[in-house]
Amino acid sequence: MSIRIPFIEQEILDQYLIEDNNRPWVIGFSGGKDSTLLLQLVWNALKQLPEGTRYLRDIYIVCNDTLVENPRIVQFVERTLHRLEEAAVIQDIPFKVQRTSPVLEDTFWVKLLGLGYPAPNNSFRWCTERLKIDPTTRFIQSQISQKGEVIILLGTRSAESSNRARSIKKYEVKGQRLRKHILQNAFVYAPIKDIETNEVWQYLMQVPPPWGGTHKELVTLYRNANSGDCPLVIDDTTPSCGNSRFGCWVCTVVSRDKSMEGLIENGEEWMWPLMELRDELVLNRNNREMREVFRRQDRLKIREADDEEGWGPYTPEYRAKILDMVLKAQREIQQSQGETIQLISHQELVAIQVLWYRDGIFNQKVSDIYNRIYETPIDMSKHEDKFREEEELLHEVFEPDHVDLIQKSLKIMKTKSLMVRKRGLQNDIENLLEEFLVKKKQRKG
């Protein structure tokens, strides 16, 4: 075991005992080797205190689920969290597990299938903020509003990557353990920032987790996936979990998911449908046949047709195709691995259908796709009736060409929001109105 470990545990204990208005601790836990080491060191440090004297401040173990994490990793992390919760009560350790996840309107499938967001890449990486940063930030901010300040404990290490080393150095305060976080009244404490990778593994292989069991499964996962950590992401300085890192199985920021490839090669063949679906998203991310383009003669032209930003959301047909693939993959995996594995939730399916109606998509129905694959009816009639009433109301109040104008205007605003750029919105609306008036004049003439 590294000679530095006992000193780190003592430092953690000293920091815990500092009189600082009992600022709560938020420990970022992803289930990876670094966050596991951090949690184990904090646990063992607190065990040095007599029972009944350990509750000086609230300590939260925060684990974020993007809802598109690798299912194999999700199962492992959830088992670990259950052990943590039970052992903390038995051993009188002041830990509270806090699971976070994106709100319904921000989930990967609602954005990609409901609104037609293109699969993320380095130039449009919309997923990190919505799936990772926002859910954890909401919890941290809730603690700040209640307690005034918080201290975030992270298992980041300088040796893990040059990007992390630069990030740690940028925000650290010389001579102090804590560094400022980009959130106001939040501080970051990284006790293991100077630990080398071989020291991490040496410790985990020699010292069993205080919450019970061994680290054998963790070691096996890393070995089979040839993987590195995917840390808790609390700001945009944290690098993507692509390449060989555990992370979202739908990640299209990288061309290959080496961790999933490794797991499949080492016996997890049931993941093949996930790999095929991810590869489909990578292959057709910029395929213009799968994206809407707004031309003057039929819809609205955002940019020149040869400009990447001139291409809008995925077409209704492609969204339906991907939903079909997701549900087929889910059913196939559930048949071999059990129904606990869920790739897309019922709430997401309902939200997608609502967005399709709002987007004027009536020739594709979520319920039809689901019922065809599962051969079990999913009832969305309540939502279908609601939007059918809205459509009928529009036609009752406005003339048919005015209804078309309203729908096109809404589509312009939606597309501008999708591209995260409002520039040119006024010109586009004016062009649409001009086109409408010219056509109306021509009909009268």
Side-chain angles (χ1 to χ4, degrees), residues 57-276:
R57 65 181 83 225
D58 291 330
I59 304 180
Y60 298 94
I61 302 172
V62 178
C63 185
N64 183 61
D65 183 1
T66 63
L67 305 181
V68 281
E69 301 289 330
N70 185 303
R72 181 72 176 82
I73 309 306
V74 170
Q75 292 174 331
F76 166 71
V77 170
E78 196 55 39
R79 285 195 298 271
T80 302
L81 291 176
H82 281 303
R83 290 196 192 103
L84 287 169
E85 290 175 309
E86 293 176 358
V89 173
I90 295 172
Q91 297 180 35
D92 195 37
I93 302 295
F95 286 159
K96 303 174 186 176
V97 173
Q98 180 69 39
R99 297 166 176 83
T100 61
S101 60
V103 294
L104 180 61
E105 58 266 29
D106 281 347
T107 68
F108 183 83
W109 295 123
V110 169
K111 289 295 186 187
L112 188 132
L113 299 178
L115 292 174
Y117 272 47
N121 65 5
N122 281 318
S123 62
F124 188 31
R125 209 173 108 187
W126 53 265
C127 53
T128 301
E129 183 175 350
R130 292 170 174 82
L131 305 186
K132 296 183 177 184
I133 297 175
D134 288 351
T136 304
T137 297
R138 279 192 293 272
F139 175 74
I140 293 173
Q141 288 177 328
S142 73
Q143 292 303 305
I144 293 173
S145 66
Q146 294 177 37
K147 309 293 174 57
E149 293 181 335
V150 300
I151 299 174
I152 306 166
L153 279 71
L154 296 179
T156 49
R157 294 184 301 110
S158 299
E160 187 69 7
S161 73
S162 57
N163 284 342
R164 292 189 201 177
R166 284 194 296 269
S167 176
I168 290 173
K169 188 170 182 61
K170 178 180 178 182
Y171 292 100
E172 71 181 355
V173 180
K174 192 171 183 180
Q176 297 184 20
R177 293 170 182 161
L178 306 185
R179 57 184 170 92
K180 290 285 292 181
H181 185 259
I182 58 174
L183 288 177
Q184 190 174 7
N185 295 330
F187 301 85
V188 173
Y189 178 33
I192 66 171
K193 64 184 178 66
D194 296 322
I195 293 290
E196 299 290 333
T197 301
N198 64 322
E199 293 179 283
V200 176
W201 284 121
Q202 184 183 29
Y203 178 86
L204 294 178
M205 303 256 309
Q206 293 179 0
V207 183
W211 47 86
T214 69
H215 291 305
K216 187 178 295 184
E217 186 176 6
L218 177 64
V219 173
T220 301
L221 276 174
Y222 272 85
R223 183 184 297 118
N224 288 349
N226 186 28
S227 184
D229 269 3
C230 183
L232 185 79
V233 179
I234 57 171
D235 56 52
D236 56 12
T237 64
T238 307
S240 168
C241 299
N243 296 320
S244 63
R245 302 181 184 281
F246 288 138
C248 304
W249 67 267
V250 293
C251 183
T252 52
V253 176
V254 292
S255 58
R256 291 176 57 194
D257 185 338
K258 295 180 182 177
S259 66
M260 194 187 302
E261 289 176 4
L263 289 169
I264 291 173
E265 289 172 3
N266 285 280
E268 307 280 0
E269 290 90 354
W270 59 270
M271 288 187 183
W272 266 116
L274 304 183
M275 180 73 75
E276 291 172 349

Side-chain angles (χ1 to χ4, degrees), residues 6-38:
F7 292 100
I8 294 174
E9 288 184 355
Q10 186 58 51
E11 180 188 275
I12 291 171
L13 188 57
D14 290 343
Q15 186 66 42
Y16 183 76
L17 295 172
I18 286 177
E19 295 184 7
D20 61 355
N21 295 323
N22 299 329
R23 291 180 288 185
W25 279 10
V26 174
I27 303 177
F29 182 72
S30 67
K33 67 182 190 305
D34 294 337
S35 63
T36 298
L37 171 63
L38 169 65

Side-chain angles (χ1 to χ4, degrees), residues 62 88 111 147 186 189 219 230 255 302 314 317 329 332 395 419 421 427 437:
V62 178
K111 289 295 186 187
K147 309 293 174 57
Y189 178 33
V219 173
C230 183
S255 58
I302 311 173
Y314 285 138
E317 293 74 22
E332 182 178 340
H395 283 283
M419 302 309 295
R421 296 180 70 173
N427 288 337
L437 293 173

Side-chain angles (χ1 to χ4, degrees), residues 288 292-312 408 411-412 415-416 419 423-432 435:
R288 295 179 175 183
E292 293 192 63
V293 65
F294 300 85
R295 303 181 186 278
R296 287 191 187 279
Q297 56 265 39
D298 47 8
R299 300 191 184 179
L300 176 76
K301 184 178 180 183
I302 311 173
R303 298 273 189 269
E304 293 299 322
D306 59 352
D307 184 344
E308 169 60 23
E309 291 190 15
W311 296 86
K408 285 181 177 179
K411 190 174 285 291
I412 292 173
T415 304
K416 287 293 184 181
M419 302 309 295
R423 191 177 67 188
L425 176 59
Q426 182 176 344
N427 288 337
D428 288 341
I429 294 292
E430 288 176 353
N431 290 338
L432 180 64
E435 181 183 345

